[in-house]
């Protein structure tokens, strides 16, 4: 139970700005860790022809986000934030390229989300 409590609690640092950035990144990363599960279940039952693409996307996302949690715990908050934004951009670009292009959800919603997260995590 202590391990679960430890990984679900955002890290605290001496620098208040770093702690706030880590908190926000912690929330974003955990949300992105939880999102693929319903997406995979949805794809299995309603879009089984896309299951390979879905599993690749989910696997890539889970791997990156777990690595970001480890980096953040070790104090590399700014680097983790930059990698998060870059990986998110790469993910939406790959999704657009392998999906419906500029008519797909990656182009319509994804890039705006990447810009918003970049502004919140990295700032000016």
């Amino acid at each position: 139970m202590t391990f679960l409590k430890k990984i679900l609690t955002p890290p605290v640092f001496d620098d208040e700005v770093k702690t706030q950035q880590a908190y926000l990144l912690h929330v974003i990363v955990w949300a992105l860790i939880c999102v693929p599960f319903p997406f995979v279940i949805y794809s299995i039952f309603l879009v089984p022809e896309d299951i390979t693409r879905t599993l690749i996307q989910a696997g890539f996302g889970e791997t990156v986000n777990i690595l970001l949690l480890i980096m953040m715990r070790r104090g590399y908050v700014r680097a983790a934030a930059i990698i998060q934004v870059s990986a998110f951009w790469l993910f939406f670009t790959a999704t657009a390229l392998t999906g419906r292009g500029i008519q797909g959800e990656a182009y319509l919603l994804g890039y705006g989300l990447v810009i918003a997260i970049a502004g919140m995590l990295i700032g000016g």
Side-chain angles (χ1 to χ4, degrees), residues 3 9 18 26 34 40 46 54 74 86 88 94 103-104 115 117:
F3 173 73
T9 304
K18 187 175 182 178
H26 180 82
C34 295
V40 169
L46 298 175
T54 300
R74 294 187 177 180
S86 301
F88 221 28
Q103 295 176 344
I115 292 167
I117 288 176

Side-chain angles (χ1 to χ4, degrees), residues 56-118:
I56 290 170
Q57 288 176 331
F60 174 77
E62 295 298 301
T63 302
V64 168
N65 287 313
I66 290 169
L67 290 173
L68 291 175
L69 278 176
I70 293 168
M71 285 180 67
M72 191 173 45
R73 289 269 172 218
R74 294 187 177 180
Y76 300 108
V77 177
R78 181 132 177 101
I82 291 170
I83 292 171
Q84 173 63 54
V85 171
S86 301
F88 221 28
W89 179 82
L90 179 65
F91 175 80
F92 282 122
T93 300
T95 300
L97 288 173
T98 62
R100 298 185 320 167
I102 63 170
Q103 295 176 344
E105 67 282 346
Y107 187 82
L108 296 173
L109 299 172
Y111 290 123
L113 183 60
V114 170
I115 292 167
I117 288 176

